[in-house]
């Protein structure tokens, strides 16, 4: 399987494709690519029995696709955790390293890494780490972009994307931060928030707000 196909499976997994249907637009925003390219790749994945695409309804992972995605995500997030916790990598800089390491990681090595890290259940950007048998707890799939003006929410996790994580690092936003939504600027403008009761306003871009999950 090509790295691009694997990236699609991982993003569908992260967006909740194991439990619900996700849209082309969500995948497009998550990967930062044109919607037309998404349509073409989803068709290929459907032909391979990895996803189900229902026109006007959305895309979900098949059992086969979910197993494959969970294995990739598990190895990727174990390495991210190792790089941050043990090698003290910056929060935003681990994605590209883990992307390389996951493809060289056998099941045996993943188990050894999991044991060494004492079985973490979340990676540094808040994503759940599936177990060796592909099980994982349900998480919120509600987006910051969907929060109402005036609502206070907790940032649960960020989509696993280097550009996004670098951007959020610059905004000093991390998983488990409590934020209050002030307003949604019109015409796909930023979401204006404050953090931890501070009155300082933070503008979170429209695209980033669709890649941040809240509870």
């Amino acid at each position: 399987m090509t790295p691009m196909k694997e990236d699609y499976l991982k993003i569908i997994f992260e967006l909740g494709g194991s439990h619900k249907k996700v849209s082309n637009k969500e995948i497009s925003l998550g990967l930062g690519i044109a919607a037309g390219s998404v349509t073409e790749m989803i068709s290929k994945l459907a032909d391979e029995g990895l996803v189900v695409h229902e026109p006007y309804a959305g895309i979900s992972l098949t059992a086969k696709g979910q197993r494959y995605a969970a294995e990739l995500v598990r190895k990727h997030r174990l390495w991210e955790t190792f790089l941050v916790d043990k090698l003290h990598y910056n929060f935003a800089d681990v994605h590209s390293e883990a992307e390389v390491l996951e493809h060289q990681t056998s099941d045996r090595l993943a188990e050894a890494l999991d044991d060494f890290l004492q079985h973490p259940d979340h990676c540094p950007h808040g994503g759940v780490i599936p177990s060796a048998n592909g099980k994982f707890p349900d998480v919120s799939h509600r987006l910051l972009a969907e929060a109402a003006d005036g609502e206070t929410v907790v940032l649960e996790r960020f989509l696993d994307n280097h550009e996004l994580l670098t951007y959020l690092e610059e905004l000093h936003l991390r998983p488990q931060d409590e934020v209050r939504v002030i307003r949604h600027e019109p015409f796909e403008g930023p979401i204006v928030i404050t953090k931890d009761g501070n009155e300082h306003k933070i503008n979170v871009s429209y695209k980033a707000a669709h890649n941040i999950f809240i509870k």
Side-chain angles (χ1 to χ4, degrees):
M1 182 177 291
T2 66
M4 181 58 74
K5 287 182 179 178
E6 292 178 342
D7 286 345
Y8 270 81
L9 290 177
K10 286 190 293 184
I11 203 76
I12 295 168
F13 180 93
E14 284 202 74
L15 291 169
S18 299
H19 306 288
K20 66 175 186 130
K21 298 188 185 305
V22 301
S23 68
N24 279 32
K25 182 177 180 181
E26 288 176 298
I27 296 171
S28 174
L29 284 169
L31 291 176
I33 58 177
S37 299
V38 172
T39 301
E40 182 180 349
M41 180 60 80
I42 292 301
S43 178
K44 292 178 181 178
L45 294 174
D47 289 343
E48 294 178 28
L50 296 166
V51 303
V52 175
H53 182 204
E54 296 181 25
Y56 309 108
I59 299 137
S60 58
L61 293 168
T62 63
K64 176 183 175 182
Q66 180 174 310
R67 285 194 303 271
Y68 204 100
E71 180 183 341
L72 288 167
V73 167
R74 169 178 166 77
K75 292 173 179 178
H76 186 95
R77 291 178 177 172
L78 283 171
W79 280 118
E80 287 188 326
T81 304
F82 174 80
L83 290 168
V84 170
D85 290 357
K86 304 302 180 183
L87 299 187
H88 310 297
Y89 267 61
N90 183 278
F91 168 81
D93 294 337
V94 294
H95 175 71
S96 56
E97 299 277 20
E99 192 80 8
V100 174
L101 290 165
E102 74 183 60
H103 297 295
Q104 308 301 322
T105 304
S106 66
D107 292 343
R108 181 182 177 185
L109 178 55
E111 279 299 289
L113 186 59
D114 189 31
D115 289 341
F116 176 72
L117 294 170
Q118 298 184 318
H119 312 292
D121 48 22
H122 289 81
C123 71
H125 55 83
V128 297
I129 300 176
S131 66
N133 62 6
K135 303 296 183 183
F136 53 92
D138 195 16
V139 294
S140 172
H141 299 295
R142 189 177 179 219
L143 300 170
L144 177 61
E146 298 169 350
D149 290 357
E151 187 176 1
T152 298
V153 299
V154 174
L155 307 182
E156 183 178 52
R157 59 192 176 94
F158 305 150
L159 211 63
D160 197 355
N161 175 286
H162 175 70
E163 182 183 2
L164 173 71
L165 296 175
T166 301
Y167 173 71
L168 295 177
E169 180 87 347
E170 291 170 355
L171 295 181
H172 305 291
L173 294 176
R174 288 292 183 98
Q176 303 309 312
D177 283 348
E178 184 177 270
V179 305
R180 180 174 175 80
V181 177
I182 305 302
R183 63 182 176 275
H184 294 63
E185 297 289 7
F187 300 106
E188 298 188 353
I191 313 297
V192 183
I193 64 171
T194 57
K195 186 179 90 165
D196 298 330
N198 194 307
E199 292 304 309
H200 173 69
K201 292 183 175 61
I202 302 170
N203 292 325
V204 180
S205 75
Y206 175 86
K207 180 179 178 181
H210 282 81
N211 292 330
I212 298 171
F213 298 88
I214 60 172
K215 60 182 178 181

